Amino acid sequence: MFKQSIAALVLAVTLGGQAFATTSEALTSETDINKPQNSQPSFSGSLTLLGTTATDKSALPEPPVIAEIDISEQRMKVYLNGHVTHSWKVSTAGSGYYTPRGDYEPYRMHTMWRSRKYNNAPMPYAVFFHKGWAIHGTNAISRLGRPASHGCVRLHPENAKVLFDLIKQAGGMKAAKVVITN
């Protein structure tokens, strides 16, 4: 029984410190002093993870880059590893248009994109986050700070490049989140 407890402890440490419980008592003797030291513990039966699972979203860490857009303030705050690093004026949907609210993971990025829907309008440093909506640079800099877009989140082109580069440097789209609130 003591050898089985030691083997289970070795297995738990080997598997990244997660707490596991075996459903079988059929552990092989890995405490044998004649076995090579680099051999992995072996077992038969199945393992059960104790505690939260990877599908529990509350257990997942936040991505390193978060772009938080407050529509009522027409402002974006950029968080890098939990700290605000930038705060910029934006333009979201003007009258008759809509900017979606919610939490999104970017799914496509382009250094230059042209809108097929709106007369081939340039969208530099576009970060697409939901269907056709994106965060991107704009030439209409004087309109930043108030609603003016067809639904996208517009930024000064220099700020759009900074956000784009932060996402790339952090590891790409999976390393970012877009949060849009009222």
Side-chain angles (χ1 to χ4, degrees):
M1 185 65 172
F2 179 72
K3 284 184 177 182
Q4 289 174 340
S5 296
I6 295 294
L9 178 61
V10 167
L11 178 62
V13 170
T14 303
L15 294 172
Q18 295 289 330
F20 287 88
T22 63
T23 58
S24 171
E25 293 288 330
L27 291 173
T28 60
S29 175
E30 283 298 324
T31 56
D32 187 346
I33 60 172
N34 295 319
K35 289 210 172 208
Q37 290 183 359
N38 63 352
S39 68
Q40 296 291 321
S42 62
F43 64 94
S44 61
S46 62
L47 295 175
T48 305
L49 176 65
L50 303 175
T52 60
T53 63
T55 58
D56 180 5
K57 289 193 177 210
S58 65
L60 298 176
E62 287 288 336
V65 179
I66 299 174
E68 185 179 88
I69 296 99
D70 184 323
I71 291 177
S72 64
E73 291 185 20
Q74 292 293 295
R75 183 158 290 278
M76 173 190 293
K77 290 181 183 172
V78 178
Y79 293 83
L80 187 57
N81 296 315
H83 301 284
V84 176
T85 57
H86 303 283
S87 180
W88 301 312
K89 289 193 258 182
V90 299
S91 287
T92 59
S95 181
Y97 296 96
Y98 177 75
T99 299
R101 277 69 164 175
D103 293 11
Y104 304 97
E105 184 177 283
Y107 66 90
R108 197 170 80 215
M109 293 174 61
H110 299 278
T111 54
M112 177 51 81
W113 186 258
R114 294 205 170 262
S115 172
R116 294 179 187 136
K117 190 172 182 178
Y118 296 107
N119 301 323
N120 215 25
M123 299 168 61
Y125 303 104
V127 178
F128 287 86
F129 61 87
H130 179 66
K131 298 181 181 178
W133 283 280
I135 298 170
H136 62 81
T138 183
N139 292 331
I141 296 167
S142 65
R143 301 182 80 183
L144 292 173
R146 61 181 192 251
S149 79
H150 290 121
C152 286
V153 178
R154 295 181 185 172
L155 283 171
H156 190 287
E158 291 173 10
N159 297 337
K161 181 181 182 341
V162 169
L163 177 64
F164 191 92
D165 290 343
L166 281 173
I167 293 170
K168 281 179 59 178
Q169 291 167 5
M173 294 174 286
K174 297 284 184 193
K177 182 164 106 175
V178 175
V179 177
I180 304 176
T181 62
N182 276 336

